[in-house]
Amino acid sequence: MTQVDAPEKPSRPADALSTEVVAFRVAGQDFCFDIMSVREIRGWTETTTLPHAQSYVKGVINLRGSVVPVVDLADRLGFGPTEPSARHVIIITVVAGQTIGLLADVVSDILAVPDSAMHSVPEMVSDQVKAFISGVVLVDDRMIRRLDLHRVLPSDGQHAA
């Protein structure tokens, strides 16, 4: 098992008008979210499957004595289920007071994104897209979608596992 600690969070922001995000790939697509939600980034760990869990819940892992559900982001975002390998990572986050793991292909960058580089989601996309994506960041020639982590959890108030 590989474990990479999350980067140190700055004691004060370098630019009061920017946000640090962790960028990662899911199903070959670029996404990001606020780095303040990240507790750590781990290598793929086999999960314990839970019967009757939602299809996007890969199972649970033991994180230093805590049982943490792992959500397959590709499946949750509609790209189909992931067959995880040693190359995949689990981003441990805290969402609405609950610790969850998010299965991703790879973490690609830690970026300081000026507020001016964050764009809203176009109005013509469906509400289903807007349910998960809260903005789009332009970085060089890439367009990175910002995830709304609260929407990654089931909307009916149930826990992911």
Side-chain angles (χ1 to χ4, degrees):
M1 173 171 52
T2 305
Q3 178 178 339
V4 178
D5 290 330
E8 283 190 34
K9 296 172 176 78
S11 58
R12 65 185 179 115
D15 179 353
L17 299 175
S18 68
T19 302
E20 282 197 306
V21 298
V22 58
F24 53 94
R25 300 200 95 195
V26 172
Q29 304 293 311
D30 292 311
F31 294 93
C32 69
F33 57 78
D34 191 326
I35 197 167
M36 297 304 282
S37 299
V38 177
R39 289 186 66 196
E40 66 183 73
I41 301 164
R42 306 172 55 89
W44 167 247
T45 301
E46 286 294 325
T47 60
T48 300
T49 303
L50 299 173
H52 302 291
Q54 297 91 337
S55 65
Y56 54 84
V57 177
K58 283 291 189 190
V60 293
I61 60 172
N62 177 352
L63 182 66
R64 293 181 289 281
S66 296
V67 176
V68 175
V70 176
V71 171
D72 180 351
L73 275 177
D75 200 12
R76 181 67 172 143
L77 297 174
F79 296 117
T82 302
E83 291 300 324
S85 69
R87 294 183 21 228
H88 288 86
V89 296
I90 299 173
I91 305 170
I92 304 294
T93 63
V94 177
V95 181
Q98 182 182 5
T99 302
I100 62 170
L102 302 173
L103 176 61
D105 297 347
V106 66
V107 171
S108 56
D109 288 305
I110 307 293
L111 303 167
V113 178
D115 288 349
S116 60
M118 186 65 66
H119 300 269
S120 60
V121 178
E123 287 297 322
M124 63 186 301
V125 300
S126 71
D127 289 340
Q128 193 172 12
V129 172
K130 291 179 185 174
F132 293 103
I133 307 300
S134 61
V136 178
V137 179
L138 304 176
V139 177
D140 299 326
D141 60 345
R142 297 185 302 167
M143 297 183 77
I144 304 173
R145 287 145 286 186
R146 183 175 63 186
L147 277 182
D148 183 341
L149 287 179
H150 292 90
R151 300 295 185 138
V152 173
L153 294 176
S155 60
D156 59 3
Q158 296 176 350
H159 295 292

